[in-house]
Amino acid sequence: MMPRLGQKYDIEIETFSQPIAAYQTDEYFEMDLPTAPAVMVGEEIVVEGADVDETQLEGVICRRLGLPPPEPRKTGFWARLFGR
C-alpha cells in the first residue's frame, strides 16, 4: 500500500522496522514516538498500535498536500466478497 501511495502522490515514504523489544525500551518511550505498529504523516499520528485503513491514510495524505479528498471506494458485491 505505501509504495503505491508514494507513486500516486509526490511524497517520500520512510519505513522503520525493528525487533519488538526495541519498541519497548525506555529510550524509545523517551523519543515520544507512537506505539508500533504506527503510521505517521508528517507529525500527525494516523494510527497507533493497529493496522491502518488505506482510505483513511490516503485522506490524511491529501489533506497534508492540500488536495481534495479521494473519491470513496465503490463497495459492490465482489469487493465485499473478496474484502477489497
Side-chain angles (χ1 to χ4, degrees), residues 22-58:
Y23 294 112
Q24 298 174 338
T25 64
D26 291 336
E27 292 82 18
Y28 182 82
F29 287 109
E30 289 173 4
M31 289 190 288
D32 200 31
L33 293 171
T35 305
V39 175
M40 294 178 69
V41 175
E43 297 297 317
E44 180 180 350
I45 298 171
V46 179
V47 68
E48 179 176 11
D51 290 334
V52 66
D53 176 66
E54 185 173 349
T55 305
Q56 177 188 9
L57 177 59
E58 190 170 2

